[in-house]
Each structure stands twice: as C-alpha cells, then as structure tokens.
Amino acid sequence: MKYTLTSAGFLVCFVLLGASLAASYDGPLYDFTAYTECKELPEQPLYNGGLLKNQLPENFSSIAHFSTGFYTPAFILHNLTPGTIYCFSIWLKIEGANSAHVRASLKTENSVYNCVGSAAAKQGCWSFLKGGFVLDSPSNLSILFFQNSDDRDINIAVASASLQPFTDEQWRFNHQYIINTERKRAVTIHAADGSGDTLQGAEITIEQVSKDFPFGSAIASTILGNLPYQKWFVERFNAAVFENELKWYATEPEQGKINYTIADQMMEFVRANQLIARGHNIFWEDPRYTPAWVRSLTGPALQSAVNSRIQSLMNKYKEEFIHWDVSNEMLHFDFYEQRLGHDATLHFYETAHQSDPLATLFMNEFNVVETCSDENSTVDRYISRLRELKRGGVLMDGIGLESHFTVPNLPLMRAILDKLATLNLPIWLTEVDISGKLDKETQAVYLEQVLREGFSHPSVNGIMLWTALHPNGCYQMCLTDNNLQNLPAGNIVDKLLKEWQTGEVTGHTDGHGSFSFYGFLGEYTVSVKYGNRTANSTFSLCQGDETRHVTIRV
C-alpha cells in the first residue's frame, strides 16, 4: 500500500481518521461498558434502552421448544431485520437459589437462537448480561426470554434492559473508529539544517518496517527445510506458535526419553526471523492428549512426572516464549485435578512462574467467545476460574481465547470481550480458524468478520491463526494450498495485512518545515532529502494520545 500526503492534506486526513471522526457520524457509537461484579442496584441501561426503552417485560410459560413449567420474563420484539446487528444487555437477579447460570434466548417465527447471552446470576444482587444476535431472516414477531440453564424452578427478575441495532455500515464505522484511535497515532516530522533552521519543501519518505500488533499463525515441523513456506510465512506474520511440537506427548512419548530436537529447530526459525512465539502448552487437561504412560500414573509418581515436565520444559526454554498456555482447556477437562487435587492447576502456575517469571501465563480455552451455549466455558465461568487462580497467588496471567468458530455471532463475541476486558489482563485470540465443515468461500467470509472484531477491540493484544500447513491440509482451515497459492481465507489475510499497515508515505515539508501523517503503531524508517543532502533515521510509534514528534537534521 502506498499513498501520498501533503502537510495540508494531513489536516483532512486527521479529521477523517482521528477522534473527531465521530463528529461526522450520526449513528450510535458502540458502548464497551461491562460489569463482572454483582451489584446492590442495577446500573442504567446502555443506549438509554434502545428499542426496549420504556418497555416492561412480559411473563410467559411453556414457550415453544422450551417448556419449563414456570414463568420466564420475556420481551416481545417486532419487525427485526436480517443482517442488522442487535446488541443486547440487561441486569438479572434470582430468587429460589443462591446462584444460577441464566441464558438469554431468542425465538422467531422460524428459528430458535438458543443462547444470545448469558450471566452467572445470584440471589440478593444484580448481575450484568451482555450479548447480541444477528438474524438469518426477517421476523415480524420475536420473543427474547431468559431461563436458568439447568431448568431449576427459580424466579428471574430483570432490569435496565437494552437492545440497540446497528446496520452493517454503522458496525464497520465503529470498527474503523477504534482502529484509528487505538491502533494508529499522529506523527509530525520536522526537517531542519545543522543550525536548526526549518527546511521548507524537503522531500519526505516514510516506511513502516514492522508492526506493533502481533498477528501470527501456528507452525508445525512441516516448515523446517521448506524455504518457500518459510519465506511465505515471514512475509506476512510477526508471531508464531508451535502447533503440537511442545506438547508433552510430542517431547516425551516415553517416560524419561525427552526429545526437544524438532522444537529446537523450530525455535531457530523463530529466532532467525525475529518472530515472537507463544509457548503451547505445558499441560493439556484432556486425557486424550496426555501421554499414555502419564495416564497410567497416580499419586506421588504422577506428581513427580508433572514436576519434571515443568522443570524440563521451562528450564529448556526460559525467556524464549512470551506466553505459556499452562493448563490447556481446564474448563472442559480436569485430568490432573482429578488425580492430584483441586490445587494442582494452581501449583502448575506457581511453578511455571518461578521457572520463567517474565513469561505471561495464559488460561487458554475454547467456546468462550465462540458461543455462550457451552455451559463449561461461559464468560462468567471463565472469569470465576481465573479469579480463583489469582486469589491463590497467580501473579502473571493472560486471557487466551482459542476462537474456533463455525458461524460467528459478532455482537456476542464483542460483548464477551467487553466483559473480559474488565479484568485488565492481556487478551489474545490464540487459535483462530473457521470450521472445515463450511466451504472455503464461507470460511473466508467468517474469518474476515472474526479478525475485524478482534483487531478493532481495544483490549485485544494479539491474534494467532490456527493454520499450520501439512501435506494433507490443516486442522480446520488453510490459508494456501500445498503450492502456497492462496485459498479464499489466505486472500482475506493478505487483504487485512495490507489494510492494517501504513505502507510507504511520501510528501514535502510545509512552510514550518513540518510534515504530518497518521500511521499504524510500529517501527518506521524516514528519509529526508533537501537539495543534494539526505538524512536517514528511524523512530518507533507506540500507543499514545499525543502526536509523536520526530526531528531530522539534514
């Protein structure tokens, strides 16, 4: 990508790209507000209630396909349109149980959307539910209702309901507004001679040479020795994660026979190309992916094997990986806790932190942002488990969201990210792909939606694709064929990589000897030419509200 700006043109560009962008927009601005604490009183509704302003809930029993035998609060919705993005939020309180997982569902004339938002509700205080939906077909009459997910007979009270529609154009505007204010920054280049006098008309050439935002993919041993694949990878990505080569079953298939040869070679590729790498994973709670010899151990023998695994892996790669997925998918599986007790996971985190204190330790899980229908990994259950670890003394932690999507629910995804953002921890989408059950064109459409949601959310710190290339394909979704020719998903990645970089900027300094532009965060080179004199320099552009000023002496 290349564009040319004069300094005068920068003023127009800044108005279009900066915070004042909202001034020319008369649609709704997305509200990132979320709450994870149970409150004595509910807060005011977002968007002043939107379509539900001044609307009181109805009570319905035995809603079709959800016969419960008790009453549920519900809202009657009229004339919902397909393609419109509906953002929903409400406060909940229950009676008849100390706590319950409450799910919001939507029934139209033709479809039932089983979960469009969920929350862990409590007795005696108000909990915040945030979600949303997009319809496949128009609906003249719909019912938005709430139920305890395990169908216990409890009473659900609701307050401060809100339903705000966004057109696709409005949703895209909100994406771009956040990108322009969170992923970019204004820069002014000042050109001066050796005496400090400003230079008008100096020729400026600026190029972004690296990006601040980590965007990468899984790699496998198939990248070793494959120079075309390596070249293709490093031309696109600045981050990597080993698909399987660090997992226990790969490094120690037989007890005591530890082999890091493949992982070492992959790390050499990472270092040689100045990539950052995530460590995946120390333990996997799913017994299907636990070494057979480990599954046969119990008690002290298992504890000894676990301790050896952590010490061996962490000592081998200390300070090599920026992250570690410590106990993978612990919300769905509990192999180690069943055998070593509930504090086993806490011990994993403590030991990992002691072994590599500069690495961020992640809780990596699936079906957190992909859906709210999975009772094991709702956003509130994720938050509850993470807080439990923090109370136990975990010092460095991050939020790992695998992001294996089929059909993404974009407002639900964004709402879940909002709730997780209240924890003020690093959030990464760690294994992004789209189900292989879909055709490649549909995969590409949904992939673009998910990537745009992630990149445009201010609390997402990095995105990793789960697209390691193998001779027989990829886990669910490939970016290229075996000849490294782009598939539709690869075209989307290339399009977004180009869109999310500054490229080359050229222009001339104004009467004040200055040239300004608006660039994506990262590292830059700048060349200033005046007459027969040229000066070259570099600068970093990190996040900040103020304009970055760079002075070049020619």
Side-chain angles (χ1 to χ4, degrees):
M1 181 176 68
K2 181 177 181 179
Y3 61 90
T4 302
L5 282 179
T6 64
S7 196
F10 166 75
L11 295 176
V12 176
C13 180
F14 186 81
V15 169
L16 292 175
L17 294 176
S20 56
L21 178 62
S24 60
Y25 167 73
D26 59 1
L29 286 177
Y30 182 82
D31 193 333
F32 290 91
T33 302
Y35 305 89
T36 56
E37 302 292 343
C38 206
K39 290 178 171 281
E40 183 179 355
L41 295 173
E43 300 286 343
Q44 292 299 308
L46 304 185
Y47 310 104
N48 199 28
L51 298 180
L52 298 182
K53 183 179 181 180
N54 299 325
Q55 183 174 339
L56 296 176
E58 306 283 348
N59 278 322
F60 287 85
S61 65
S62 301
I63 294 176
H65 305 298
F66 286 92
S67 179
T68 63
F70 60 90
Y71 288 89
T72 173
F75 291 91
I76 306 300
L77 308 176
H78 298 277
N79 301 322
L80 300 181
T81 57
T84 298
I85 295 167
Y86 292 94
C87 293
F88 173 70
S89 63
I90 199 165
W91 288 84
L92 306 166
K93 185 170 66 172
I94 62 170
E95 294 180 355
N98 290 328
S99 63
H101 179 246
V102 175
R103 181 178 63 235
S105 303
L106 180 74
K107 176 173 171 52
T108 70
E109 298 93 332
N110 303 313
S111 303
V112 174
Y113 299 80
N114 183 48
C115 188
V116 298
S118 68
K122 298 180 180 180
Q123 184 169 260
C125 60
W126 293 88
S127 299
F128 186 65
L129 182 152
K130 193 174 190 183
F133 55 88
V134 180
L135 297 188
D136 300 321
S137 58
S139 173
N140 294 324
L141 182 66
S142 303
I143 302 173
L144 181 62
F145 59 100
F146 310 90
Q147 286 188 297
N148 171 32
S149 60
D150 62 10
D151 290 342
R152 283 179 295 166
D153 189 358
I154 62 173
N155 292 321
I156 303 172
V158 299
S160 297
S162 172
L163 184 66
Q164 178 61 50
F166 291 81
T167 65
D168 183 68
E169 182 181 3
Q170 291 169 339
W171 197 252
R172 287 293 187 98
F173 173 90
N174 279 273
H175 280 175
Q176 199 59 48
Y177 177 70
I178 294 301
I179 289 171
N180 292 340
T181 54
E182 298 290 334
R183 308 296 186 199
K184 289 183 169 184
R185 187 175 174 185
V187 183
T188 297
I189 306 295
H190 303 277
D193 62 19
S195 301
D197 295 328
T198 59
L199 299 176
Q200 180 179 356
E203 184 179 334
I204 306 292
T205 302
I206 301 162
E207 185 176 2
Q208 185 178 15
V209 294
S210 68
K211 302 174 184 178
D212 181 68
F213 186 86
F215 188 84
S217 172
I219 56 174
S221 60
T222 51
I223 203 166
L224 298 176
N226 189 336
L227 297 182
Y229 183 20
Q230 293 179 12
K231 181 176 183 292
W232 176 91
F233 190 93
V234 299
E235 285 176 349
R236 288 162 174 80
F237 301 124
N238 58 5
V241 59
F242 301 175
E243 184 179 41
N244 297 313
E245 288 75 9
L246 282 175
K247 292 169 182 172
W248 200 354
Y249 65 73
T251 62
E252 194 178 3
E254 296 181 45
Q255 188 170 13
K257 296 182 178 180
I258 301 173
N259 189 339
Y260 292 118
T261 302
I262 299 298
D264 284 346
Q265 293 172 357
M266 294 172 70
M267 180 52 70
E268 288 172 3
F269 165 74
V270 166
R271 293 193 204 101
N273 292 283
Q274 299 177 301
L275 304 172
I276 60 173
R278 302 191 71 251
H280 177 81
N281 52 52
I282 302 176
F283 296 107
W284 197 346
E285 290 285 351
D286 188 342
R288 294 175 299 172
Y289 304 105
T290 302
W293 65 268
V294 175
R295 293 199 301 269
S296 68
L297 301 178
T298 58
L302 178 59
Q303 186 65 63
S304 176
V306 161
N307 292 341
S308 296
R309 161 68 174 173
I310 299 179
Q311 292 164 7
S312 170
L313 185 65
M314 302 300 281
N315 290 337
K316 172 71 175 176
Y317 294 111
K318 183 176 182 179
E319 298 180 358
E320 294 275 17
F321 293 97
I322 62 169
H323 303 160
W324 279 105
D325 294 331
V326 177
S327 189
N328 204 45
E329 300 175 353
M330 71 172 84
L331 295 182
H332 287 89
F333 309 102
D334 59 355
F335 173 83
Y336 295 100
E337 290 199 347
Q338 277 189 3
R339 290 156 178 80
L340 299 175
H342 186 68
D343 290 338
T345 302
L346 179 60
H347 171 70
F348 296 164
Y349 277 86
E350 289 174 340
T351 307
H353 174 69
Q354 291 166 5
S355 302
D356 194 352
L358 296 182
T360 303
L361 306 182
F362 270 66
M363 181 175 158
N364 196 49
E365 192 57 75
F366 68 92
N367 278 356
V368 181
V369 290
E370 298 95 319
T371 180
C372 59
S373 296
D374 188 336
E375 296 292 319
N376 294 304
S377 54
T378 64
V379 61
D380 284 357
R381 288 196 172 164
Y382 185 101
I383 290 171
S384 175
R385 188 71 169 103
L386 192 145
R387 283 177 169 160
E388 181 183 349
L389 290 172
K390 287 180 70 69
R391 286 193 299 269
V394 172
L395 298 178
M396 297 183 68
D397 42 12
I399 295 169
L401 307 172
E402 292 186 13
S403 307
H404 295 295
F405 285 90
T406 302
V407 180
N409 179 341
L410 301 183
L412 176 65
M413 176 184 178
R414 179 152 289 234
I416 290 170
L417 289 172
D418 293 345
K419 291 196 81 169
L420 292 169
T422 63
L423 302 178
N424 296 313
L425 295 173
I427 299 176
W428 280 55
L429 309 185
T430 57
E431 305 180 16
V432 177
D433 63 14
I434 306 298
S435 172
K437 296 178 181 178
L438 305 175
D439 64 77
K440 290 179 173 56
E441 293 291 345
T442 304
Q443 280 184 320
V445 170
Y446 291 156
L447 177 65
E448 180 172 4
Q449 292 177 356
V450 170
L451 294 180
R452 288 190 182 279
E453 283 303 317
F455 190 69
S456 65
H457 197 287
S459 295
V460 171
N461 289 16
I463 297 175
M464 303 295 292
L465 302 169
W466 206 248
T467 51
L469 186 61
H470 297 270
N472 60 345
C474 306
Y475 174 65
Q476 292 287 334
M477 178 188 76
C478 285
L479 302 182
T480 73
D481 61 20
N482 286 337
N483 296 317
L484 300 178
Q485 298 300 305
N486 269 6
L487 298 172
N491 288 332
I492 289 300
V493 168
D494 283 353
K495 180 180 80 168
L496 294 180
L497 286 171
K498 184 176 181 180
E499 182 180 324
W500 296 338
Q501 69 180 13
T502 305
E504 186 178 272
V505 182
T506 61
H508 294 83
T509 55
D510 60 16
H512 301 284
S514 300
F515 173 82
S516 298
F517 76 103
Y518 209 62
F520 282 96
L521 306 181
E523 301 295 319
Y524 286 80
T525 61
V526 55
S527 175
V528 180
K529 183 177 181 180
Y530 188 76
N532 61 356
R533 306 196 305 272
T534 301
N536 300 308
S537 188
T538 63
F539 65 91
S540 299
L541 192 59
C542 55
Q543 195 169 44
D545 296 329
E546 298 178 334
T547 300
R548 174 82 159 88
H549 289 266
V550 179
T551 299
I552 310 294
R553 292 177 60 182
V554 182

